[in-house]
Amino acid sequence: MSTFKKISPNEIPRNPIDMISNEWMLVSSEKEGRVNSMTASWGGVGFLWGKNIAFIFIRPQRHTKKFIDNSDTFSLTFFDKKYREDLTYFGSVSGSEEDKVGKIGYKVLHEDGVPYFEEANLSIICKNVYKQKLDPNGFFDESLIKKWYPNSDFHEIYVAEITDVLVKED
């Protein structure tokens, strides 16, 4: 079994921009004893309202959104490149159709009740502090609406306090 150690958000060993945009992450939450995850490549980490924060974007039709709205917590988990095919699967299949975590066979661990995965190399544990649907009137560059929102299914942005960062020790 792998072990994880807690580190400060300031000690994240790799560039979070590269981790999120190029390596991708799983956004995971738990509802009524069931874990659901989706692949994401939009988001970031920073400092806001006196807190270390992570922010993510979720479209309204994503099944994982219901889990995050129900539990107020989620994890962002990052993996070695050998898991890329799994992350592609998590991003292309809906958890409303099948148990993606069970099908892939990842081992679910918990930190303060928040699910993350033994297979991950880094997990960021988050507690929601704010969410809001993106407003089309807020875009300075309207070409982004045409490119990313042709169906007007604007993401909701979730801003969450980073409560723990866990890095694999082995």
Side-chain angles (χ1 to χ4, degrees):
M1 181 171 144
S2 300
T3 58
F4 289 82
K5 71 175 181 176
K6 289 185 183 183
I7 62 171
S8 164
N10 297 330
E11 298 174 309
I12 293 174
R14 298 186 329 268
N15 179 327
I17 293 172
D18 185 54
M19 291 168 51
I20 294 167
S21 64
N22 295 319
E23 296 176 20
W24 306 343
M25 61 186 165
L26 284 185
V27 178
S28 304
S29 193
E30 190 165 1
K31 177 181 169 185
E32 299 169 358
R34 183 168 171 234
V35 175
N36 189 269
S37 302
M38 63 175 247
T39 302
S41 62
W42 288 14
V45 296
F47 190 76
L48 180 66
W49 301 319
K51 300 175 183 293
N52 293 311
I53 59 103
F55 58 94
I56 59 170
F57 296 81
I58 302 179
R59 288 194 193 267
Q61 64 267 38
R62 293 303 299 254
H63 188 63
T64 304
K65 182 182 179 320
K66 295 173 190 154
F67 284 67
I68 293 171
D69 289 342
N70 182 69
S71 70
D72 287 334
T73 59
F74 60 89
S75 65
L76 307 176
T77 51
F78 299 88
F79 298 81
D80 294 332
K81 289 181 182 179
K82 68 182 181 180
Y83 294 101
R84 185 65 167 211
E85 190 174 314
D86 293 348
L87 295 180
T88 300
Y89 167 78
F90 274 103
S92 61
V93 173
S94 174
S96 65
E97 298 171 8
E98 62 184 59
D99 175 7
K100 297 187 284 186
V101 175
K103 183 169 183 175
I104 291 293
Y106 283 175
K107 181 172 182 182
V108 178
L109 304 174
H110 289 86
E111 182 67 31
D112 293 328
V114 182
Y116 69 103
F117 302 105
E118 182 176 19
E119 294 77 7
N121 58 41
L122 180 94
S123 296
I124 300 174
I125 308 300
C126 301
K127 180 174 179 24
N128 285 326
V129 294
Y130 180 81
K131 78 171 181 176
Q132 182 172 338
K133 185 175 182 177
L134 292 179
D135 181 348
N137 295 316
F139 283 85
F140 290 101
D141 181 350
E142 293 183 10
S143 71
L144 295 172
I145 296 172
K146 291 177 184 157
K147 179 176 182 176
W148 297 105
Y149 302 104
N151 299 321
S152 296
D153 58 341
F154 293 92
H155 287 90
E156 281 195 33
I157 182 171
Y158 289 78
V159 178
E161 179 179 7
I162 297 173
T163 58
D164 286 300
V165 177
L166 307 167
V167 65
K168 189 174 272 184
E169 286 192 302
D170 38 331

